[in-house]
Each structure stands twice: as C-alpha cells, then as structure tokens.
Amino acid sequence: MSLKKLRVLLKVSGEALMGSRNYGHDIDTLNGISNDIKEVCDLGAEVCLVVGGGNIYRGADASTLGMERATADYMGMLATVINALALQNTMEKHDIHTRVQSAIPITTMCEQYIRRRAKRHMQKGRVVIFATGIGNPFFTTDSAAVLRAIEMNCDILLKGTNVDGVYNVDPKKDKAAQKYTEITYTDVLKDNLKIMDMAAIAVARENKLPIKVFSINKRGNFAKILQDQGEFTLIRGE
Ligand code: UDP
C-alpha cells in the first residue's frame, strides 16, 4: 500500500534508543529504527521526528535531587540534541536525507527551527528531526511532538513506546492490565492514563490530532501501524 500524501510525525522517546542497555544508545536499536523509517519513506510518506532525552537526562528526576528545575530541564533538552545527532548519523547511513532542527539555536550543529523551512524539507523527501522539544523548561517532548505535528499539518502522530498501546493500568506491574483498541482524549485525561503528559493530550484534543501509540521495539511496526495493521491504540475525539 502506498503512503503517498501522508505526513506523519513519529515521537521517539529516549528510552526507545537504549535497547537492553540502562543508559545511552544501543547501536542495533538505532539501526533498526532507521530501517523502519526508511521503509515508511520508501512508501511515499513525508516523515518528521521528535526525539526525547530520557535515556540520558530527565529534568524532573534531577530536580528531585536538588537541581533547580529550569536548569535541569535545559540539561534535558541538551540530551535530546545528542539523541537527534545519533539518529541523524544512523539514518544517513541508511540513505535517508535528514535535517536536525532545534527550538533552541545551536547553529554550529544543526538548523534552528523554522516552520516553513521544516515543511519544505519534508516536501523534498527529507526527514526533519526536531530537537530540544519546544525549547522551554517545564515541558516534555510529548508536548513538542503534538505541537510540531500540528504545525507541520501532519495527518497523524505516532508515539513509539516500549509497550504496544494504552492500558488501563501499567502492564509491566499488573498482568491483568487491559489494552484499549481505541480511546478518546477525554477518557485518557479523565482516567489519568500516563501514556503522554496531560498538556500534550489536551492540545491534541483541541486540534483533533489522531495519535497511535505502539511498540517501537518491533521491527517493521512503524509502516504496519500506519497501514492499520499490528498492535496499537488509537487516541481520538468523541
Ligand atoms: N524538556 C524540556 N522542554 C521540552 C522538552 C524537553 O524542558 O520542551 C526536558 C525535560 O527536562 C525532559 C527532558 O528534556 O525531562 C527530556 O525529554 P523527555 O523527558 O520528554 O524525553 P523522553 O521521555 O521522551 O525520552
């Protein structure tokens, strides 16, 4: 099936880059994700990414240890730049043309975020990797993913995680956890399901951005989920 005319934002959490490691990057995982992205590009879709930083640094965790929250969050944003460069490097080895754009100017390493420029890159078949989230402390890369998806006029946001969808309780802690096939934004908020932060879900609801939550650990899943195959949960309006 062709995915021409489809524009998609893939959110890659930092943790998804660790593979079985406890910190940083696993090279096989980076290669696997790059392969999956290449497959979707080859099907004709326009792709952009928002990358997290939780495999290296999380502002909220550091602030509980006494670090000022805003400073810790800026450090977290720098972690997303490391991940963006790691992904860029691997993706280029898979013959994917890429650009990294950062919300915070880091001009010797990557482009600054410019909405119209990012769109142009995508029209030319380049994958744009958005780094430093929205560029403000007290936010997460989930909020950035929703915001950028809307700004880029994406048809859909795919959130790649370590689980294969949204569950009523944490499936890693409770074997009786049940997965939703579909769930509304309102129910995610009402039931306080911790699949994405609440601010992100609220903005997605307001802008009617469909979100599919899926496991990024299964190779080939990115293309499958876009074609409504495999395991995922769709978050949508009423
Ligand atoms: N962060 C931020 N503003 C943003 C995006 C990220 O301050 O717009 C910081 C925040 O400290 C966060 C860290 O960057 O903990 C890493 O991002 P995130 O936790 O969203 O990464 P993920 O969980 O997706 O790996």
Side-chain angles (χ1 to χ4, degrees), residues 31 108 115 178 208:
N31 278 315
T108 48
R115 187 178 70 90
Q178 289 188 335
K208 300 183 177 61

mmCIF file of all heavy atoms in Angstrom, residues 31 108 115 178 208:
data_model
loop_
_atom_site.group_PDB
_atom_site.id
_atom_site.type_symbol
_atom_site.label_atom_id
_atom_site.label_comp_id
_atom_site.label_asym_id
_atom_site.label_seq_id
_atom_site.Cartn_x
_atom_site.Cartn_y
_atom_site.Cartn_z
ATOM 1 N N ASN A 31 19.933 1.424 14.436
ATOM 2 C CA ASN A 31 19.861 0.915 13.062
ATOM 3 C C ASN A 31 18.466 0.393 12.733
ATOM 4 O O ASN A 31 17.934 0.641 11.655
ATOM 5 C CB ASN A 31 20.885 -0.212 12.856
ATOM 6 C CG ASN A 31 22.269 0.358 12.563
ATOM 7 O OD1 ASN A 31 22.410 1.282 11.774
ATOM 8 N ND2 ASN A 31 23.288 -0.180 13.212
ATOM 9 N N THR A 108 26.013 25.837 15.131
ATOM 10 C CA THR A 108 27.119 25.116 14.505
ATOM 11 C C THR A 108 26.833 23.621 14.365
ATOM 12 O O THR A 108 27.566 22.914 13.676
ATOM 13 C CB THR A 108 28.439 25.307 15.282
ATOM 14 O OG1 THR A 108 28.173 25.076 16.645
ATOM 15 C CG2 THR A 108 29.010 26.693 15.079
ATOM 16 N N ARG A 115 9.437 26.887 10.920
ATOM 17 C CA ARG A 115 8.318 26.035 10.496
ATOM 18 C C ARG A 115 8.262 25.846 8.976
ATOM 19 O O ARG A 115 8.194 24.731 8.473
ATOM 20 C CB ARG A 115 6.989 26.627 10.989
ATOM 21 C CG ARG A 115 5.791 25.725 10.744
ATOM 22 C CD ARG A 115 4.523 26.339 11.288
ATOM 23 N NE ARG A 115 4.120 27.494 10.521
ATOM 24 C CZ ARG A 115 3.314 27.452 9.453
ATOM 25 N NH1 ARG A 115 2.811 26.314 9.066
ATOM 26 N NH2 ARG A 115 3.007 28.553 8.801
ATOM 27 N N GLN A 178 -5.525 -4.298 30.850
ATOM 28 C CA GLN A 178 -6.257 -4.448 29.581
ATOM 29 C C GLN A 178 -5.920 -3.312 28.635
ATOM 30 O O GLN A 178 -5.874 -2.153 29.051
ATOM 31 C CB GLN A 178 -7.756 -4.465 29.861
ATOM 32 C CG GLN A 178 -8.154 -5.761 30.542
ATOM 33 C CD GLN A 178 -9.658 -5.905 30.668
ATOM 34 O OE1 GLN A 178 -10.381 -4.918 30.684
ATOM 35 N NE2 GLN A 178 -10.109 -7.140 30.769
ATOM 36 N N LYS A 208 -7.721 18.132 17.246
ATOM 37 C CA LYS A 208 -8.207 16.884 16.604
ATOM 38 C C LYS A 208 -7.074 16.125 15.898
ATOM 39 O O LYS A 208 -7.215 15.669 14.759
ATOM 40 C CB LYS A 208 -9.329 17.199 15.607
ATOM 41 C CG LYS A 208 -10.534 17.864 16.242
ATOM 42 C CD LYS A 208 -11.637 18.085 15.210
ATOM 43 C CE LYS A 208 -12.893 18.674 15.804
ATOM 44 N NZ LYS A 208 -12.734 19.987 16.432
#
